[in-house]
Amino acid sequence: MSEVTAQGEAALLAKAREKFVLTFGVKPVAAASAPGRVNLIGEHVDYCEGFVLPVALPFTTIVVGAYNNLDECRVHSVLASGEELKTSFVATSSGTLVPGEPAWANYVKGVLAKFPVKVRGFDAVIVSDVPMGSGVSSSASIEVAFFTFLESLTGRSVDPVQKAQLCQKAEHDFPGMPCGIMDQYIVTLGKKNHALLIDCRSLEAKQIPIEADDTVILVVNSNVKHQLTGSEYPLRRAQCQEAARLLKVQSLRDACPEDVEELKWLKTDPDVVKRAQHVINEIARTQKTAALLPLKDFQEIGQLFYESHDSLSKLMEVSCPELDQLVHIVKSCDGVYGARMTGGGFGGCMIALARKESVEEIKKKVLSQYKGRPSFFTCNPSDGAKILQV
């Protein structure tokens, strides 16, 4: 069966260490890790200063490295697929970094450029088992792991929320992706067996315990790849900003359901109205889910999942036929409380809240009915970024 399992921090660290010694001929002196993430609910609202409710995943990115006494940084990356990439660029102690080719290196260069102190030349190896292009934030995992590695290498520690903000700024300025704060925040501050309710305006967060022995979060990867740096994501963000401007509010966080009628009265572009309607209702759904989780009211949370997916598909228009089909299949299975697409959309993953005893039957049904080639993993909420002993 197409089950994806995390390799584990110890195995990935050993792999990274071995690769570093083989590549550079010396032992690494600094190491760090940061996980991927999946968002339970609160999609396309972080850039509207709303509430989001993600969890950190057991899949992780490891970075190891050491100073090299050169004016350049040499970075080798081993992807989850086994593919190997390498790049080099000027150290910030000797020059200024700018975005460029190869595209993947911008995630690393951006973080180095935003790091609070100039850094001398170093060599580094990145090893990750976070699935790429799946909506589980492999990009934030690399950014935060690399930033934490730089903390270890330089001895300069940074406040975790500031770290998340600097990594977000790195993604804005180097890969050119105008993401919200959620991914970098949860990857930095995730906690085992907890979801994190993040207020994307105040940047305050609350750990919400997830205690459910007989209920699991099943993640189904559609294996439809997406690249969000294209026009669709920035367009959604611009449409939400336009709605806020028309309503004369700072962001859609300040809007209420009645404001949707106001936008219609103003003869606003119908797409802008739909985006606003999604954001206003999704923020409310997220707050409600966070309140219901400790009560273990999975039936009601499941309904909120379905409502969220319907809204993302029809109002935000960021789903795709494959994700819609997966939700439709899973909805017909016994033991499922709710399901929805997760992540930025246009492919990637769907999550389902389901009884543990029903998981194997759900997988069988998906495998027999889904038109694509799905893969599955059960989400165990995990810890966020940390410095590791080499």
Side-chain angles (χ1 to χ4, degrees), residues 164-178:
Q165 289 175 295
L166 289 168
C167 288
Q168 179 198 23
K169 189 84 170 69
E171 189 157 340
H172 286 187
D173 294 353
F174 275 70
M177 174 66 180

Side-chain angles (χ1 to χ4, degrees), residues 48 52 58 65 90 92 97 168 183 214 216 221 255 282 305 334 383:
C48 299
V52 293
V90 69
T92 50
L97 290 169
Q168 179 198 23
D183 295 352
D214 58 352
V216 296
N221 190 346
E282 185 79 350
F305 273 30
D334 290 336
D383 287 324

